[in-house]
Amino acid sequence: MATQTIGVIGAGTMGSGIAQLAAQYGYDVVLRDIEQDLVDDGLERIRSGLEAAESRDIIPSADDAFAHVEGTTDIEYVTDEASLIVEAVPEDMDLKKTVFEELDAQADPDVILGTNTSSLSVTEIASVTEHPERVLGMHFFNPPVKMKLLELITGHHTAEETVERAVDFAEAVGRDPIVVDDYPGFASSRLGLVLGMEAARMVQEGVASAEDIDTAMEQGYNFPMGPLKLGDYNGWDVRVEVGEYLAEELGRDVYRPPQNVKKMVRAGDYGKKTGRGFYDWDDE
Ligand SMILES: NC(=O)c1ccc[n+]([C@@H]2O[C@H](COP(=O)([O-])OP(=O)(O)OC[C@H]3O[C@@H](n4cnc5c(N)ncnc54)[C@H](O)[C@@H]3O)[C@@H](O)[C@H]2O)c1
């Protein structure tokens, strides 16, 4: 079955970004959140994202692309319309299981169900469904329209055909897919978190400033962005949660957040989104 309509569950940062990406590449999109004002906020983000894309000549017409996006609070409308559904609700296992139970009960068995989880077990999310063979991880990066990587994660029961259809979709929306086994941290966070936590530990030990550690990795190792700046971008609140989770799951202390990071997060300094992390973002 060719994928024509993409369903997106959750109209937040990632959900609206994934919806915008699909719309930019000509798909019909149905976006669902739990309340109408959240749906409207998501639609507004998509509209302004599409307008920015038009102004940079990435798409010919924001209005035309936006005409393909619908918002709803009705999950059944999504399962009726879409042949591929990407879930992007908050990173909470119980919530994701509830959503997948609902999606699985209502969608035809040939509808693909992807989760945008950045760390949770895809196998466990799929365990609540009758058709785990059509469930996989579809880990987009933020912002989905700019970040090329799409990490596709195969759960214990994910079928080959599910992966093939997800790869086709990834390529159709201009992403670079990689296929990864369902294992804590997948292929991205498992390495990325080590660097981020170790760099923070180096600041704590007084080895060098955050700026100089980032410069070392940018200039010496050719990283486009140093690990501390990247952590500020992604939010240390989320990094701490993922780090603790990986430390438990993989049994390695290298993922544990050091005290300076914990203190920063306890003080509400998560990085760019709160205006301060290892860097001061107030003027940005
Ligand atoms: N933000 C990032 O940088 C990033 C990057 C990669 C992956 N992720 C993952 O993407 C997922 C979403 O993250 P986010 O940053 O977009 O979160 P967010 O908080 O911005 O958005 C989540 C949205 O889901 C909605 N929601 C909650 N329950 C719902 C339900 N039952 N049905 C429909 N909508 C529901 C919320 O109202 C909210 O609007 C998480 O699993 C996160 O780990 C996030």
Side-chain angles (χ1 to χ4, degrees):
M1 176 164 86
T3 298
Q4 293 303 337
T5 301
I6 306 300
V8 180
I9 307 296
T13 309
M14 294 305 287
S16 55
I18 295 163
Q20 183 195 331
L21 175 71
Q24 276 187 207
Y25 281 86
Y27 285 94
D28 291 331
V29 181
V30 189
L31 177 69
R32 191 254 176 168
D33 210 303
I34 40 180
E35 284 168 20
Q36 191 57 45
D37 58 340
L38 296 168
V39 174
D40 292 342
D41 289 349
L43 290 174
E44 199 39 55
R45 268 194 300 277
I46 295 169
R47 173 181 273 292
S48 62
L50 290 171
E51 281 165 1
E54 182 189 304
S55 70
R56 288 189 211 110
D57 288 329
I58 295 168
I59 52 169
S61 161
D63 284 344
D64 286 354
F66 191 65
H68 289 270
V69 184
E70 268 185 283
T72 182
T73 54
D74 180 5
I75 199 162
E76 243 178 283
Y77 187 65
V78 182
T79 50
D80 284 350
E81 295 293 316
S83 49
L84 186 155
I85 300 174
V86 184
E87 163 276 311
V89 304
E91 191 78 340
D92 174 315
M93 179 56 88
D94 289 340
L95 175 61
K96 292 204 190 264
K97 280 182 173 171
T98 306
V99 169
F100 270 78
E101 228 168 352
E102 227 176 329
L103 291 174
D104 184 62
Q106 288 167 16
D108 282 347
D110 59 355
V111 174
I112 302 267
L113 303 180
T115 170
N116 189 46
T117 181
S118 28
S119 62
L120 300 174
S121 163
V122 173
T123 303
E124 188 175 341
I125 294 170
S127 70
V128 297
T129 67
E130 295 288 321
H131 293 286
E133 71 281 356
R134 45 90 163 254
V135 177
L136 86 167
M138 296 181 72
H139 185 198
F140 290 85
F141 287 71
N142 191 16
V145 288
K146 283 207 186 122
M147 300 294 279
K148 286 283 203 179
L149 179 62
L150 178 50
E151 202 173 29
L152 300 175
I153 300 125
T154 55
H156 191 67
H157 289 115
T158 307
E160 192 55 43
E161 194 206 330
T162 303
V163 178
E164 282 164 14
R165 283 179 52 198
V167 167
D168 287 347
F169 171 69
E171 288 171 348
V173 293
R175 300 308 93 182
D176 292 332
I178 60 168
V179 179
V180 183
D181 188 25
D182 184 22
Y183 213 84
F186 313 135
S188 50
S189 308
R190 183 161 169 180
L191 285 174
L193 263 286
V194 173
L195 280 171
M197 294 306 176
E198 198 58 27
R201 251 185 293 279
M202 286 163 67
V203 173
Q204 183 169 274
E205 289 166 12
V207 174
S209 66
E211 289 83 353
D212 284 351
I213 292 168
D214 279 342
T215 300
M217 299 315 287
E218 288 163 13
Q219 304 299 331
Y221 275 68
N222 243 352
F223 281 29
M225 187 183 286
L228 294 163
K229 207 179 290 166
L230 185 64
D232 269 20
Y233 260 98
N234 290 341
W236 289 97
D237 51 333
V238 180
R239 296 236 132 185
V240 164
E241 269 180 41
V242 177
E244 301 278 20
Y245 172 79
L246 292 180
E248 288 308 315
E249 285 283 325
L250 296 168
R252 285 174 213 148
D253 285 342
V254 72
Y255 293 105
R256 290 207 191 281
Q259 286 301 329
N260 59 346
V261 169
K262 285 192 189 173
K263 204 192 242 180
M264 223 165 65
V265 168
R266 285 175 187 144
D269 289 345
Y270 299 162
K272 193 165 190 278
K273 63 184 162 189
T274 59
R276 187 182 281 265
F278 281 96
Y279 293 83
D280 194 344
W281 298 93
D282 278 340
D283 297 334
E284 303 261 334

